[in-house]
Amino acid sequence: MTATVPTSTRGVRRPQRRTRGRGPAAVIPLLFLAPALILLAVFVFYPLASAFFMSLTNWNGISSNFDLVGVANYLRLFVDPDFMRAAGATLLYTALTLPPSLVLAFFAALAVARHSRSSTVLRVSMAVPFVVSIAVVSAVWMWILEPNFGLVNYLAPLVGLPQQNWLGDPNWAMFAVAIPSVWRQFGYFMLILLAGIHSIDPALHEAARLDGASSAQRAWHVTLPLLGPQLYFCLVLGVIDSFQVFAQVHIMTSGGPQNATSVVVYELYQQSFEFFNTGYASAIAIVLLLVIGTVTFIQQRWLGSRVFYQ
Amino acid sequence: MSAAKVISDVERSVAVPVVSGDRSRTRRRADRTPGLAALRILLAVIVLFPVLWMLLTALKPQDEAISWPPSILPQTWDWENFGEVLARGEFARWFLNSAIVAIATVLGNLFVGIPAAFAFARMRFRGKNALFLLVLASLMIPGEVLLVPLFVLLSEWGWIDAYPALIVPFIANAFVIFLLKQFFETIPRELEEAAIIDGAGPLRVLRHVVVPLALPAIAVSSFFTFLGSWNSYLYPLVVTRSMEMRTVTVGLSLFTDEVGTDWPLMMAASALVAAPAIVVFLVIERHLKNTMAMSGLRG
C-alpha cells in the first residue's frame, strides 16, 4: 500500500518561494482535508491510543477508578488457558478455511478466465456469496446443518457420513462453522486471481503449448507460478480475515459447544461486554493488532509493489 | 470436468484494461463450446445453492419445511411468509434502521472523501505525503481493536443506542479516499486547467469537472461503503441495545430465538436482508472487478 504514495514532491525544496504559497491559498488543501482528518483522529487514532492505555490498566469499563498494572494483562494472556484455547481455535479455523478457499478459487478462476456468456454467469454467481451478509450466511447454513430437518443430515448417509448435530458436536462444530466461511470467501479470492490470470502474457502459454505441454501442465507450470503474487496476497488477506472471525461464531455456536469454537475476537467480546474485564480485553485487542500488523508488514517486505502496480 | 478446455480458455485470455469499466471490449461473447457452457451453468447453480435453498424454504409452509425427506420445490408456494416477517416484531423497523444508516454512511463518505481525495490527488501542500500515509495507516487497524474505546467514547457522549453512533464513526473511510484519489489522478490535468483559466476555483473544478468524470469510481466506492454498513454485525451488536435501534443483521439473530424453529420465516427474513446487497451488486458488477484489482484493497 505504501507503494502508492506519490514521491514526486520529495526533494523539491523551495525555501524562499514557499511564502508565495502562504496566505489564503495555502489554507484550501487543509479545508478540503479537515473533515476526513478530524474524523479519523477522533474515531480511529484516539481510540487506538486509548486501547493501548486501557490495556495497561485493570479498568472494568464502568468504575471511575482503576490502577495502572503495566504489562500484567499481557503476561496474563500467556497463562490464561481460555485465551490460549481461543488462539488455537482461531488457528484451526484459519487452517480449515484458507487452503480450501484458495484451491477452489484457483480452479474457479481457471474456469471463468475466458470471456464468454457462461463464464460471466459463473463469475457473477461466485461473487454473490461475499456480498451476502455474514448474518444471513450463518442463518442459511444453520438451517442446512440443522440436526433434525437439515439438508446435510439428509445427504450425509448417501456419502457414508453419520447423521449428527454438526454444530452441537465439539469435534465437528469448527468444521461446520468453516463451511459457510469457505463458501463466502472463495469467490472473492477468485476475482483477485482472475485479475492475475488476465495479466499473464498469452505468449507464455503459446510457447508452452508449442513445446508440447498439455493444458493441465500449462496450468501447473505456467499459470500457477505466475499467480504467485496474487496467491500470496489472498493468503495474507485470508489470514487477516480469519484472525478477525466473529459473526459466524456468535450466531451459529455462541463459542460452543464446550468452547470448541470460541475464537480470539469472541473471547475479546466476552471479556469486554460480558465479563467487564476492559483492561484485559484491551490487551487482547492490542495483541491482535500486533499480530495482524506483523502479517501485513511481512507482506509489504516480500511483495513490495509487485502485486497490483505493474 | 474437461480441464483441457478450461485451460485453453486461459491461454487465449487477453489482458484487461486497468481502469474500471472494461466496456471497451465485448466480454459477453457467445459460448463456442456448449458442453463447457453447460458445465459452468451447473457450477453456478451449485455455488448459488445455499441462496436458492434459502428462497425455496422461505416459500414453504412450516410443516412442509420440516417434512422428511425434504422436498426440493415447495408443494404449496407460501408467499405469505414474507408479509408475516415484515409484520412480525420489529423487523420492518430494523430494516429501516439499516437503510437509514447505510444511506447516511454512503452520503457522508462522499461528502468527506471526495474533497480529501481531490486534495491528495491534485493539490500541493506541506506534509502531504505524511498525511496520506497516516490515512492509509488507519486502514490497517482492525475494527475489533477500536471497539472497546469507541464504545466508551460514545457512552460518554450519550450516543449509545442512537443513529449517530452507527453512522458518524464510519464517515471517514481511508479506503474510499484512496480509491477516489487513484481515480482522480487518471483524469487529464488539461481539463482542470481549462476550467481554472475560465476563472473556476477548486470547488467548482471539483464539482463540474472531476466529479462528473469520476462517477464510476464514486459508484464503486459507494457500493463498498453501502455493503460494509448494511452487512456489519459486531459493531451494531455492541452499540445498540433497545429492540427499536437494532440493525437488520443483528435483528436477524434475535429473530432466531424469537421464532424458535420457524425456519421458513427465518429464511424469508434472511432473503429480505440479502436482497438489497445482491441487487446493488448486480447493478454495479461490471465496474467492480478492475477497480478492485486496481486498488488491491477492500471496503
Side-chain angles (χ1 to χ4, degrees):
Chain A
M1 281 172 254
T2 45
T4 62
V5 176
T7 52
S8 57
T9 54
R10 188 179 291 169
V12 179
R13 272 202 234 148
R14 296 172 300 164
Q16 253 78 54
R17 301 170 67 184
R18 266 278 171 207
T19 47
R20 217 165 52 109
R22 294 237 171 93
V27 183
I28 290 174
L30 289 178
L31 285 178
F32 275 56
L33 285 173
L37 294 179
I38 291 169
L39 286 166
L40 286 176
V42 174
F43 295 112
V44 178
F45 293 108
Y46 168 74
L48 180 66
S50 183
F52 182 68
F53 178 72
M54 284 179 198
S55 77
L56 303 174
T57 72
N58 63 359
W59 194 40
N60 65 8
I62 305 158
S63 152
S64 57
N65 47 23
F66 54 83
D67 296 319
L68 271 173
V69 295
V71 294
N73 286 325
Y74 293 92
L75 296 177
R76 184 179 147 195
L77 283 174
F78 293 99
V79 292
D80 179 352
D82 287 336
F83 178 76
M84 295 316 279
R85 198 210 51 245
T90 306
L91 290 177
L92 175 63
Y93 172 85
T94 308
L96 289 175
T97 53
L98 206 44
S101 301
L102 285 171
V103 172
L104 282 174
F106 177 66
F107 284 107
L110 287 181
V112 300
R114 180 147 164 76
H115 301 144
S116 72
R117 281 180 209 279
S118 65
S119 71
T120 302
V121 170
L122 181 54
R123 179 167 51 78
V124 172
S125 304
M126 282 188 290
V128 163
F130 80 78
V131 304
V132 175
S133 165
I134 295 179
V136 170
V137 170
S138 303
V140 171
W141 281 90
M142 277 172 84
W143 167 228
I144 294 176
L145 293 161
E146 210 270 343
N148 299 310
F149 312 105
L151 205 57
V152 167
N153 263 355
Y154 178 70
L155 297 173
L158 307 179
V159 292
L161 281 169
Q163 288 182 339
Q164 56 186 311
N165 187 356
W166 300 95
L167 287 163
D169 181 332
N171 296 317
W172 284 101
M174 193 61 101
F175 283 92
V177 171
I179 292 168
S181 302
V182 171
W183 179 69
R184 192 169 183 271
Q185 86 182 354
F186 90 94
Y188 179 72
F189 291 162
M190 180 273 299
L191 284 187
I192 294 174
L193 297 184
L194 192 60
I197 287 177
H198 284 165
S199 69
I200 293 173
D201 184 351
L204 293 170
H205 276 285
E206 193 53 37
R209 194 162 62 151
L210 290 174
D211 287 343
S214 72
S215 32
Q217 284 173 325
R218 288 197 299 274
W220 184 253
H221 293 290
V222 180
T223 309
L224 189 60
L226 289 171
L227 281 183
Q230 282 81 10
L231 282 166
Y232 191 72
F233 185 75
C234 290
L235 190 73
V236 171
L237 283 184
V239 168
I240 293 173
D241 273 1
S242 299
F243 284 7
Q244 296 178 65
V245 63
F246 173 80
Q248 295 95 313
V249 166
H250 187 248
I251 296 169
M252 296 175 80
T253 64
S254 302
Q258 294 164 33
N259 288 324
T261 58
S262 177
V263 290
V264 168
V265 176
Y266 194 78
E267 181 75 9
L268 189 161
Y269 170 79
Q270 283 195 307
Q271 289 291 354
S272 37
F273 299 104
E274 287 177 16
F275 310 147
F276 302 104
N277 293 326
T278 306
Y280 187 52
S282 299
I284 296 176
I286 296 295
V287 167
L288 185 69
L289 174 75
L290 292 177
V291 171
I292 288 175
T294 307
V295 173
T296 313
F297 178 74
I298 292 171
Q299 177 213 9
Q300 295 275 321
R301 286 297 295 270
W302 285 8
L303 278 182
S305 59
R306 279 190 294 142
V307 185
F308 286 112
Y309 306 99
Q310 293 96 341
Chain B
M1 140 177 325
S2 161
K5 278 177 184 164
V6 172
I7 290 151
S8 74
D9 279 1
V10 176
E11 88 199 14
R12 274 177 284 166
S13 71
V14 285
V16 289
V18 182
V19 185
S20 79
D22 57 344
R23 278 163 296 178
S24 54
R25 184 172 295 279
T26 52
R27 290 185 297 152
R28 287 153 203 262
R29 266 174 295 190
D31 287 283
R32 285 184 210 149
T33 43
L36 188 60
L39 190 74
R40 286 200 187 110
I41 302 298
L42 180 69
L43 282 175
V45 172
I46 292 172
V47 169
L48 287 180
F49 183 77
V51 176
L52 299 175
W53 192 238
M54 168 179 80
L55 289 173
L56 290 172
T57 306
L59 294 170
K60 288 173 189 171
Q62 159 84 358
D63 56 342
E64 196 190 325
I66 59 172
S67 66
W68 195 264
S71 59
I72 300 287
L73 290 175
Q75 306 297 310
T76 336
W77 294 73
D78 191 357
W79 293 92
E80 275 306 295
N81 284 331
F82 288 97
E84 204 176 318
V85 166
L86 287 172
R88 189 159 191 148
E90 312 272 354
F91 192 84
R93 171 68 194 252
W94 297 335
F95 200 90
L96 187 69
N97 286 346
S98 282
I100 290 170
V101 168
I103 290 167
T105 307
V106 168
L107 293 178
N109 259 287
L110 296 180
F111 199 71
V112 165
I114 289 173
F118 184 65
F120 281 129
R122 282 295 202 257
M123 293 176 173
R124 303 178 98 181
F125 54 93
R126 204 186 277 257
K128 180 158 99 168
N129 290 350
L131 284 178
F132 188 62
L133 260 183
L134 202 67
V135 170
L136 282 187
S138 74
L139 265 182
M140 301 185 191
I141 301 162
E144 295 81 9
V145 176
L146 308 176
L147 193 65
V148 177
L150 217 44
F151 179 82
V152 171
L153 183 72
L154 299 175
S155 304
E156 282 169 11
W157 291 358
W159 281 15
I160 295 299
D161 215 30
Y163 287 122
L166 293 165
I167 299 164
V168 180
F170 301 98
I171 282 180
N173 180 343
F175 170 73
V176 169
I177 296 171
F178 174 76
L179 192 83
L180 293 177
K181 171 192 168 279
Q182 296 294 97
F183 199 88
F184 288 174
E185 282 174 349
T186 65
I187 296 171
R189 254 173 210 281
E190 290 76 15
L191 291 171
E192 284 166 52
E193 278 158 11
I196 291 166
I197 288 166
D198 289 345
L203 259 182
R204 282 182 67 95
V205 171
L206 184 58
R207 256 185 62 195
H208 297 290
V209 180
V210 175
V211 168
L213 289 169
L215 285 179
I218 290 172
V220 168
S221 59
S222 299
F223 166 71
F224 279 114
T225 314
F226 174 82
L227 211 59
S229 179
W230 185 264
N231 290 347
S232 81
Y233 181 80
L234 175 54
Y235 185 81
L237 175 73
V238 167
V239 302
T240 60
R241 284 200 180 129
S242 63
M243 288 298 269
E244 304 86 63
M245 279 312 297
R246 293 298 193 185
T247 60
V248 82
T249 49
V250 179
L252 199 59
S253 65
L254 299 176
F255 207 61
T256 322
D257 306 330
E258 189 192 327
V259 300
T261 51
D262 196 336
W263 286 102
L265 279 194
M266 182 71 193
M267 290 301 102
S270 299
L272 288 172
V273 178
I278 293 178
V279 168
V280 176
F281 166 70
L282 292 178
V283 169
I284 205 166
E285 189 273 327
R286 67 212 205 109
H287 294 297
L288 215 56
K289 188 181 66 177
N290 296 307
T291 315
M292 280 164 77
M294 181 177 82
S295 68
L297 290 168
R298 295 161 305 157

